[in-house]
Amino acid sequence: MKQLDGPLHERTATELSALFQSGDVSPVEVTDACLAQYERWNQVLNAIVAIDKIAIHEAAAASASRWKDASQLSPLDGVPVVIKDNIRVASLTATWGSRLFREDIPEQDELAVTRLRAAGAIIFGKANVPELALAGYTDNKVFGATGNPWQPELTPGGSSGG
C-alpha cells in the first residue's frame, strides 16, 4: 500500500476518489477513519446528532466491492457525506433542531440525498443545526450547542455547525 500524506478523514472527495481508483485505499478504510474521529470527538463537539453505524458499514462494503470490480457508480462512490439535520434522510431523525420535530423519522430521502446515494456516497450521519436552521450559531433545545473544533467552548457558527 502506498504511503499517504495526512489522515484519511481530512481528504477531499476528489482525493478519495483517486485513492479508491488506484486501489491504495478502500471506502471501508475511509469510513473506519471517519468513525474513529466521530468516536473521539463527537462527545466534545456535538456535531453529529444522528448516525446509523450498521448502514454506514454496509454502504462502505458495497462501495468497496464496486471499486474492486471497476463498477463504481460515480467519483463520489464511497465518499462519506454528512447531511444537515433539516434535510430528510430515510430512517434518521430530521429534527431541524426543534422539539416540534424531535420524533420525525422520515421514510424517504429528500431528492438531494437520493441523488447522493445513487452516486454511491455514504450517508455518514446528520449534522447539528440551530433551531429551524435560522440562527448564525449552532445551538438548540434538542441537542444543545456544537463546539468549534479548534476551540470547543466556542460555536463554529450556523446554520449547520456540525
Side-chain angles (χ1 to χ4, degrees), residues 10-104:
E10 293 181 359
R11 298 306 186 120
T12 66
T14 301
E15 290 171 327
L16 290 175
S17 185
L19 289 168
F20 298 155
Q21 180 73 42
S22 71
D24 288 331
V25 173
S26 81
V28 172
E29 291 172 284
V30 171
T31 299
D32 287 344
C34 291
L35 281 167
Q37 288 299 302
Y38 165 82
E39 295 293 339
R40 180 175 181 199
W41 292 107
N42 202 59
Q43 283 188 320
V44 173
L45 301 177
N46 193 35
I48 306 295
V49 297
I51 190 168
D52 180 346
K53 294 177 188 176
I54 293 170
I56 293 168
H57 280 292
E58 289 172 353
S63 176
S65 290
R66 289 190 297 270
W67 279 102
K68 185 178 180 185
D69 296 341
S71 62
Q72 63 273 16
L73 300 173
S74 79
L76 286 177
D77 203 337
V79 175
V81 178
V82 174
I83 308 295
K84 289 174 66 166
D85 192 36
N86 62 326
I87 297 174
R88 297 170 69 79
V89 174
S91 78
L92 293 178
T93 57
T95 72
W96 286 70
S98 174
R99 291 182 287 184
L100 292 170
F101 304 111
R102 179 184 295 171
E103 304 299 323
D104 184 20

Side-chain angles (χ1 to χ4, degrees), residues 95-152:
T95 72
W96 286 70
S98 174
R99 291 182 287 184
L100 292 170
F101 304 111
R102 179 184 295 171
E103 304 299 323
D104 184 20
I105 301 174
E107 293 180 16
Q108 293 183 318
D109 293 330
E110 279 194 31
L111 181 58
V113 177
T114 299
R115 289 179 175 169
L116 283 167
R117 288 191 202 272
I122 297 170
I123 306 304
F124 188 83
K126 301 291 292 292
N128 201 7
V129 297
E131 186 168 10
L132 303 176
L134 292 175
Y137 58 93
T138 302
D139 192 3
N140 63 63
K141 292 182 180 175
V142 178
F143 300 112
T146 295
N148 183 301
W150 290 272
Q151 283 189 276

